[in-house]
Amino acid sequence: MVLEATMICIDNSEWMRNGDYNPNRFQAQADTVNLICGAKTQSNPENTVGVMTLAGKNVRVLVTPTTDLGKILACMHGLEVAGEMNMTSGIQVAQLALKHRQNKKQQQRIIVFAGSPIKADKKTLEAIGKKLKKNNVALDIVDFGEEDDGKPEKLEALLAAVNSNDNSHIVHVPAGPNALSDVLLSSPIFTGDGEGGSGFAAAAAAGAAAAAAAVAGGTGFEFGVDPNLDPELALALRVSMEEERARQEAAAKRAADEAASKATQEGQEQGSSSRDVSMAEPSATVATGATGKGPDLMDDETALLEQALAMSMDNPGTSQSGAVSMGDTHMAEAGPEDQDLAFALQMSVQDSAKASAGNTEMSKVLGDQGFVSSILASLPGVDPNDPSVKDLLANLQADEEKKGEEKPKDGDK
């Protein structure tokens, strides 16, 4: 691989606004400059490239020879198109920039884009060519655009004066459908060999051959590069492919792990909701009663006990004899004219009698200690042997006995 320092001279004159090259001359030239800068820096890590303009108020160096490709490409943005091309001054300034290169072992090369008419005469161009040859500076010329006023002859004379051991080249690119960069890929500027090669000749030739084989339907080489011609480029492409494949596999594995984690979390949430439902169901079962008889039986038994307690707290004389005597008084005061009132009083007396009969039956039930104990044992959470329950039953029994002693006295009265 050739170690070179290259200066690229750009034609930014008013002629570059023409659209005979797609999309216009200046843009086609800029794309080609980017391709050449990338080729030079990739062919050898120590290669340097600089960029300068040939038109405007005066020639101007945009970037001195550097290995920073980003810096080289950035200088092309916002470049002004104006004035006329001054090739003689541009070549001399480019030679001076190469003279002050840092690495003196680098070979010197100037690439000139000429897309507008040349005002300098042939003798002046020949003198400049001889000076370049004396200083061991190679020259590549890209002739495109205007061809009037003997432009091709002047450029050929310049090339003949500077050429030494076929280290310099010229390419005439006529207007047409093909892009300027595509034409230069197969030109001697890229495919030249020997000491005056461009430094990217082998890789560019292999890439162009692989692209042509792919277009023609051939198989070509892996990654479009022949490993025999450029093993380092083929290895770099293979390593890049492996890194990309590893990155994609890691991304796919990460996505699968996230999906599995999400599914596990959803399963845990569903299991928690199921446990909540199962906890609610036993609570409902306990509410309906441990014996499975439902809430109706418990309500009846509870009401029965509450009624028994209420009976033990009431005054038996008032609840029975008083009601009867009051009924007798009302019946006595009622006359035969008020039949409805008499009927209502009679129904009231009957209801009181039924209540008294029910109270008597309840007293019999409470008097049977075995029956009461069996009922209390069937209730959930009630212990018949509890001292408080026994005291309650004893009080109830004492109240019933007291009622039984008082009833004959009320009857005697």
Side-chain angles (χ1 to χ4, degrees):
M1 290 180 289
V2 180
L3 180 62
E4 284 186 337
T6 306
M7 283 296 298
I8 302 178
C9 301
I10 300 175
D11 186 358
N12 61 324
S13 64
E14 292 287 349
W15 297 85
M16 295 297 100
R17 301 182 187 275
N18 293 348
D20 49 353
Y21 293 83
N22 189 25
N24 54 55
R25 291 185 184 180
F26 184 78
Q27 188 60 46
Q29 177 185 222
D31 295 340
T32 307
V33 170
N34 293 339
L35 178 64
I36 293 176
C37 292
K40 294 292 185 180
T41 55
Q42 290 177 9
S43 62
N44 194 320
E46 297 183 5
N47 281 354
T48 58
V49 181
V51 181
M52 64 174 296
T53 59
L54 299 177
K57 294 182 179 180
N58 47 34
V59 297
R60 183 163 61 99
V61 177
L62 301 178
V63 178
T64 56
T66 178
T67 58
D68 188 355
L69 181 59
K71 186 177 181 181
I72 298 171
L73 300 180
C75 73
M76 297 294 295
H77 295 285
L79 190 61
E80 182 181 0
V81 177
E84 296 181 355
M85 180 181 67
N86 189 348
M87 179 177 287
T88 56
S89 298
I91 292 176
Q92 291 177 9
V93 173
Q95 179 187 357
L96 183 62
L98 291 175
K99 183 178 180 181
H100 294 283
R101 66 192 184 279
Q102 294 182 354
N103 188 356
K104 300 301 182 181
K105 294 182 179 180
Q106 292 175 328
Q107 298 183 11
Q108 306 173 76
R109 179 174 296 275
I110 298 175
I111 301 177
V112 177
F113 285 84
S116 57
I118 299 175
K119 293 185 177 181
D121 56 12
K122 185 183 296 184
K123 290 184 179 181
T124 304
L125 295 176
E126 288 178 349
I128 292 175
K130 290 179 181 179
K131 186 178 180 179
L132 293 177
K133 183 178 181 179
K134 181 179 179 180
N135 292 287
N136 296 322
V137 179
L139 179 66
D140 290 334
I141 303 174
V142 180
D143 178 22
F144 67 106
E146 302 300 322
E147 297 182 358
D148 298 335
D149 298 333
K151 176 184 174 183
E153 290 78 7
K154 294 179 181 181
L155 295 177
E156 291 289 347
L158 174 61
L159 181 67
V162 72
N163 193 12
S164 175
N165 297 325
D166 198 21
N167 67 341
S168 302
H169 310 90
I170 185 171
V171 179
H172 301 280
V173 184
N178 295 329
L180 184 61
S181 57
D182 294 340
V183 176
L184 289 181
L185 275 175
S186 58
S187 67
I189 295 178
F190 282 95
T191 60
D193 51 7
E195 292 294 325
S198 67
F200 194 65
V215 172
T219 57
F221 299 100
E222 185 182 10
F223 309 116
V225 178
D226 186 1
N228 297 322
L229 295 178
D230 195 345
E232 294 181 357
L233 179 59
L235 178 60
L237 292 174
R238 187 177 296 106
V239 171
S240 178
M241 181 64 69
E242 293 295 334
E243 291 178 352
E244 178 64 18
R245 185 181 295 109
R247 186 189 66 79
Q248 293 179 357
E249 291 178 355
K253 183 178 180 180
R254 184 167 56 255
D257 294 341
E258 291 178 356
S261 177
K262 184 176 181 181
T264 303
Q265 184 177 2
E266 292 178 354
Q268 292 177 354
E269 292 178 355
Q270 293 178 357
S272 177
S273 61
S274 301
R275 288 193 297 271
D276 294 341
V277 173
S278 62
M279 289 292 291
E281 290 178 353
S283 299
T285 303
V286 172
T288 57
T291 58
K293 295 181 180 180
D296 295 338
L297 181 58
M298 290 186 63
D299 293 342
D300 293 342
E301 294 175 352
T302 304
L304 185 62
L305 289 176
E306 291 178 354
Q307 188 177 3
L309 293 173
M311 291 173 61
S312 65
M313 298 298 294
D314 291 339
N315 187 358
T318 305
S319 62
Q320 293 182 4
S321 60
V324 174
S325 61
M326 182 64 69
D328 293 341
T329 304
H330 290 170
M331 288 293 292
E333 293 177 355
E337 295 85 7
D338 197 353
Q339 297 295 330
D340 295 334
L341 181 59
F343 180 74
L345 292 174
Q346 184 179 1
M347 292 297 296
S348 177
V349 172
Q350 292 178 357
D351 292 338
S352 299
K354 290 180 180 179
S356 298
N359 292 337
T360 303
E361 293 177 358
M362 183 56 62
S363 299
K364 294 180 179 180
V365 170
L366 293 175
D368 190 354
Q369 295 295 328
F371 179 72
V372 173
S373 299
S374 63
I375 292 176
L376 294 177
S378 63
L379 295 176
V382 178
D383 186 7
N385 298 322
D386 191 356
S388 60
V389 175
K390 290 182 178 182
D391 294 340
L392 178 60
L393 293 178
N395 293 332
L396 291 176
Q397 186 176 2
D399 291 339
E400 292 299 327
E401 292 177 356
K402 184 177 180 181
K403 291 178 183 179
E405 293 176 357
E406 292 178 355
K407 283 181 180 180
K409 295 178 181 180
D410 292 340
D412 295 337
K413 289 180 182 179

